[in-house]
Amino acid sequence: GAGVSQSPSNKVTEKGKDVELRCDPISGHTALYWYRQSLGQGLEFLIYFQGNSAPDKSGLPSDRFSAERTGGSVSTLTIQRTQQEDSAVYLCASSLVFLGLGEAFFGQGTRLTVV
Amino acid sequence: KNEVEQSPQNLTAQEGEFITINCSYSVGISALHWLQQHPGGGIVSLFMLSSGKKKHGRLIATINIQEKHSSLHITASHPRDSAVYICAVRIGGGATNKLIFGTGTLLAVQP
């Protein structure tokens, strides 16, 4: 597609259940980022993938959070044993990185509600 | 103290006014982004700067690397410009190439 695609757009889950969020970046973009935005808060970095390098996981808030990027393209963010504080909009972005630069293109986000 | 500070946090303007949003940062960066987030939550990248000035339509972005400061200007503002404007800096390179965001400036342009 022409842009970054995320699915689902909305997800309501019960506390304690696992969820998977999907991000399909722009074709050819080597960098992929996951962020989250809690209600009334700014954007919070979660994890960054760049090509075949080991991902930067420094933003993951707990070991319940993990992410994979298969084949250098699609990424899945998994949250295990969800908690109410996990409720947020999860945003994915991708960029074509050259010499450390590149426009970041964002998906529309997945709104996660943990009840 | 946040590594990226924006001001003002909230801004109300009358249609047609010239608007300036400021961003200061305290870390070494490779680039700075200005993003626009509409009430529906979608985020659009407006500019990416590593030096100087860029202009797109009624939007102008400048950056002063020595002073670690950037400004986003909107000329002849319009109600459709109402959104949250977010400054983000890109730090490091290669495997540590991540964005750090400011908390955003909520702009409301009244007709």
Side-chain angles (χ1 to χ4, degrees):
Chain A
V4 178
S5 177
Q6 289 188 246
S7 61
S9 54
N10 282 282
K11 175 74 176 177
V12 179
T13 189
E14 292 182 352
K15 178 181 172 181
K17 294 282 179 70
D18 297 352
V19 294
E20 281 191 355
L21 312 180
R22 177 188 168 105
C23 173
D24 206 335
I26 292 174
S27 178
H29 280 191
T30 57
L32 187 147
Y33 312 80
W34 281 100
Y35 300 89
R36 73 174 175 182
Q37 187 171 35
S38 302
L39 186 63
Q41 303 296 313
L43 285 155
E44 175 189 3
F45 168 77
L46 296 177
I47 188 169
Y48 162 68
F49 295 89
Q50 170 53 44
N52 296 320
S53 302
D56 177 354
K57 303 179 182 180
S58 59
L60 295 177
S62 78
D63 58 8
R64 297 186 294 104
F65 288 72
S66 63
E68 289 185 341
R69 189 178 185 193
T70 54
S73 180
V74 172
S75 177
T76 302
L77 177 69
T78 301
I79 309 173
Q80 296 178 310
R81 306 181 301 282
T82 51
Q83 303 294 313
Q84 287 184 327
E85 62 261 28
D86 299 335
S87 296
V89 175
Y90 289 81
L91 287 157
C92 174
S94 73
S95 68
L96 179 63
V97 180
F98 176 67
L99 298 179
L101 303 178
E103 290 281 354
F105 294 84
F106 285 80
Q108 288 297 304
T110 293
R111 184 175 298 277
L112 175 66
T113 304
V114 181
V115 297
Chain B
K1 190 180 187 317
N2 293 333
E3 291 165 304
V4 182
E5 297 273 356
Q6 281 187 240
S7 64
Q9 289 187 327
N10 291 279
L11 180 57
T12 300
Q14 294 297 313
E15 183 172 357
E17 285 186 5
F18 180 84
I19 289 165
T20 296
I21 301 171
N22 295 299
C23 175
S24 296
Y25 52 93
S26 58
V27 293
I29 69 169
S30 57
L32 182 144
H33 297 252
W34 281 102
L35 310 170
Q36 181 189 54
Q37 184 173 33
H38 279 279
I43 292 177
V44 174
S45 177
L46 298 175
F47 294 103
M48 184 188 67
L49 296 163
S50 55
S51 65
K53 175 180 174 179
K54 286 190 176 180
K55 184 175 188 294
H56 185 256
R58 296 180 293 105
L59 302 177
I60 303 167
T62 63
I63 188 168
N64 185 318
I65 297 294
Q66 287 73 32
E67 294 184 4
K68 296 187 173 178
H69 180 269
S70 176
S71 293
L72 176 69
H73 306 286
I74 305 175
T75 62
S77 59
H78 190 276
R80 65 174 174 267
D81 297 326
S82 299
V84 175
Y85 291 84
I86 303 169
C87 170
V89 298
R90 186 187 296 274
I91 64 171
T96 60
N97 194 358
K98 67 185 183 186
L99 293 174
I100 300 176
F101 295 88
T103 52
T105 295
L106 177 60
L107 171 65
V109 181
Q110 298 178 341

